[in-house]
Amino acid sequence: MAAAAGAWLRGCAKLRRHTPAYLAPWRVSPCVFRSSKSELKPNLASDGLACAPLQMFTEEEAMLKDMVTKFAQERVAPFVQKMDENAKMEDSIIQGLFEQGVCTLLPNLYFWKLMSIELGEEYGGTGASFFSIILAVEELAKVDPAVALVCELQNTLTNKLFTTYGTEEQKRTYLPRVSKDTLGSFCLSEAGSGSDAFSLKTRAEKKGDYYIINGSKMWISLAEDAGVFFVMANTDPSLGYRGITCFIVDRNTEGLHVGKKEDKLGIRASSTCPVTFDNVKVPETNILGQVGQGYKYAIGMLNTGRIGIAAQMLGLAQGCFDRTVPYTKERVQFGKSVFDFQGMQHQIAQVATQLEAARLLTYNAARLAETGRPAIKEASMAKYFTAEVPASPSLQGFIPLLVATLTTSKCIEWMGGVGFTKNYPIEKYYRDCKIGTIYEGTSNIQLSTIAKFLAQEY
């Protein structure tokens, strides 16, 4: 017995010697938790900053929000059903997005162009904030997420690529065009490179002072109407992803072919097409940034773009919610409105809470990005939450659903049979939202990104 007890004690001592630091006794604090750390506030007087709730906007932002709301209701809403059925964006809507709008708040006049919100005035843009882009995308998505996508991609990808990495000559050549009437299209994905984007096979071979591009791309947004393409191609496959370079290719370049657009489940008015490159000759001066740095540019742009997609999903869900709740207050069953049943009220309250949480995540990521602070983790969290978050167990039986899907799914149920028909827009919101878990990084990619940053923090 004594021998057994001694062996047991020796085993316990050995176990203690090999216990990881983070399993130390409660009385020992192995580290300061990352979540407990705080940052000093900036010098409010010198920096001109003020602490305010995330949903408090500047005068310019509030004006833009109101203008976009009006544009969406008057210029977009009448065509939503037709565009969805025909899978074609109305030309007048694209023109309207490029047009200059005027907001008046005496004594000030504000001029807005929804396709160049953050772009400087010297290039024909508005010169507003990044957060203004997020507000515009959210408001447009309340009416039609496909139109919101056009605005989002033009602002967060096309304009941002030129302003961040373009030469002065490239800026002078292209920025006035993309501000006035030219859509851009980002060509990254291929048949064999989706989430593993940097395994792309499109090749760019150097010939003197120009390159010859050969290859094909898939799932290219806005390709049907785009006038300029950002093409990711590998200039030296032996270097792997470090050979990926971004090329600016005009639509009318010989050898560039835009294929038949996809017949999609949702966001049907926004085109998605394959694009092929058959001996496309591109001058060396059309390289965006530096040779071999294309993968860095893609990562950077997608990290910012994810905030825009979060705003799109948020607006989509809110638009669906706003159309449905009034119906529940008008629809009478068993002698009272559907809304007056406590079970219904609890469901509506839970969905409203999810929407508010998604909005705060999205706005926080946008404000961080706007001030130049790191926001990669926050952007992924915002996109993931608006695109895939566990619904309340009482609502969905532990089934993971995206906020937008949770909202649109419940809205169809709340409206009953009419919500299941194409006579009402609720089923369209339901179809439109699924893409949120796929493009600009799937939900699993977002989780991997978040986990990577958590590993660094702890």
Side-chain angles (χ1 to χ4, degrees):
M1 178 68 70
W8 180 79
L9 290 173
R10 286 192 297 274
C12 289
K14 183 177 181 181
L15 178 62
R16 283 195 296 271
R17 288 196 298 272
H18 291 85
T19 299
Y22 59 80
L23 291 180
W26 285 106
R27 65 180 181 272
V28 179
S29 178
C31 65
V32 177
F33 291 114
R34 176 74 178 186
S35 58
S36 300
K37 295 182 180 179
S38 59
E39 297 182 27
L40 293 175
K41 293 180 180 178
N43 187 323
L44 301 184
S46 63
D47 295 349
L49 300 175
C51 295
L54 285 171
Q55 296 195 58
M56 287 191 67
F57 310 136
T58 65
E59 182 179 278
E60 292 86 349
E61 290 166 350
M63 291 289 289
L64 171 69
K65 186 174 185 292
D66 292 342
M67 188 200 78
V68 177
T69 300
K70 183 178 180 181
F71 175 86
Q73 292 294 335
E74 296 179 358
R75 302 282 295 272
V76 178
F79 297 102
V80 172
Q81 186 176 17
K82 176 186 174 184
M83 293 192 300
D84 181 62
E85 291 174 352
N86 297 338
K88 174 68 177 176
M89 186 79 65
E90 281 287 319
D91 291 338
S92 63
I93 290 179
I94 296 179
Q95 293 169 3
L97 291 171
F98 277 111
E99 289 173 0
Q100 179 171 273
V102 181
C103 297
T104 304
L105 184 62
L106 295 177
N108 298 319
L109 286 177
Y110 297 99
F111 299 91
W112 300 96
K113 297 179 73 174
L114 296 183
M115 297 296 262
S116 51
I117 295 174
E118 200 180 11
L119 194 60
E121 295 179 11
E122 66 272 24
Y123 299 113
T126 301
S129 64
F130 174 76
F131 191 79
S132 296
I133 298 173
I134 301 307
L135 290 178
V137 171
E138 181 186 356
E139 290 304 309
L140 288 171
K142 290 178 182 179
V143 175
D144 192 347
V147 176
L149 181 65
V150 176
C151 177
E152 192 273 333
L153 292 176
Q154 188 80 353
N155 281 282
T156 66
L157 279 178
T158 296
N159 298 347
K160 202 80 170 178
L161 278 166
F162 278 127
T163 57
T164 306
Y165 304 112
T167 65
E168 288 304 314
E169 181 181 355
Q170 289 169 349
K171 292 177 183 179
R172 287 194 300 269
T173 300
Y174 288 101
L175 285 178
R177 289 173 53 190
V178 298
S179 172
K180 181 181 179 182
D181 57 13
T182 302
L183 287 175
S185 186
F186 186 66
C187 301
L188 176 62
S189 297
E190 297 181 4
S193 58
S195 292
D196 184 16
F198 299 144
S199 64
L200 60 85
K201 301 300 182 185
T202 298
R203 178 76 190 276
E205 186 177 0
K206 195 173 189 329
K207 298 284 188 180
D209 60 354
Y210 60 89
Y211 284 80
I212 302 295
I213 300 178
N214 283 284
S216 60
K217 301 290 183 177
M218 290 190 69
W219 319 118
I220 305 305
S221 298
L222 312 187
E224 183 179 42
D225 301 303
V228 61
F229 296 82
F230 298 97
V231 182
M232 292 293 177
N234 203 317
T235 57
D236 188 351
S238 67
L239 297 177
Y241 67 90
R242 295 183 183 276
I244 296 175
T245 303
C246 184
F247 294 87
I248 304 168
V249 184
D250 289 298
R251 185 185 186 91
N252 58 4
T253 304
E254 185 177 357
L256 186 155
H257 304 284
V258 177
K260 181 181 178 181
K261 64 184 175 184
E262 304 291 344
D263 188 9
K264 299 178 298 187
L265 172 71
I267 56 168
R268 291 172 54 79
S270 169
S271 68
T272 303
C273 309
V275 182
T276 59
F277 304 89
D278 184 11
N279 291 322
V280 173
K281 184 177 179 179
V282 181
E284 190 173 11
T285 55
N286 273 34
I287 290 176
L288 186 72
Q290 299 178 355
V291 173
Q293 298 296 300
Y295 73 98
K296 291 184 179 180
Y297 306 156
I299 291 173
M301 292 301 102
L302 291 175
N303 285 334
T304 304
R306 284 165 183 163
I307 307 174
I309 297 302
Q312 181 201 26
M313 292 294 109
L314 170 62
L316 181 160
Q318 188 67 61
C320 186
F321 189 80
D322 291 346
R323 286 177 176 269
T324 303
V325 174
Y327 177 85
T328 67
K329 300 183 75 172
E330 296 173 0
R331 172 72 167 166
V332 175
Q333 291 288 278
F334 303 101
K336 60 181 180 180
S337 73
V338 172
F339 183 88
D340 287 336
F341 289 92
Q342 187 183 61
M344 179 66 75
Q345 291 176 347
H346 288 181
Q347 291 184 44
I348 292 173
Q350 287 174 314
V351 171
T353 302
Q354 296 277 22
L355 282 169
E356 189 66 7
R359 179 171 290 105
L360 294 176
L361 275 171
T362 302
Y363 285 9
N364 179 60
R367 289 298 192 195
L368 287 172
E370 181 178 75
T371 56
R373 297 179 61 186
I376 297 175
K377 181 184 73 175
E378 289 76 11
S380 288
M381 285 180 167
K383 183 180 184 294
Y384 172 73
F385 192 84
T386 57
E388 192 155 12
V389 65
S392 167
S394 63
L395 285 178
Q396 298 296 339
F398 298 97
I399 301 174
L401 288 176
L402 45 86
V403 166
T405 295
L406 166 63
T407 303
T408 55
S409 176
K410 297 308 295 183
C411 284
I412 288 176
E413 294 177 24
W414 298 340
M415 291 192 69
V418 297
F420 197 66
T421 69
K422 290 185 178 292
N423 294 326
Y424 293 82
I426 308 305
E427 63 85 29
K428 178 183 179 296
Y429 286 114
Y430 185 75
R431 288 185 286 108
D432 285 347
C433 72
K434 186 57 188 174
I435 190 62
T437 62
I438 301 172
Y439 64 7
E440 296 209 27
T442 65
S443 290
N444 283 336
I445 291 295
Q446 306 313 316
L447 289 174
S448 294
T449 300
I450 295 166
K452 180 178 73 173
F453 278 88
L454 291 175
Q456 295 171 358
E457 292 173 2
Y458 287 91

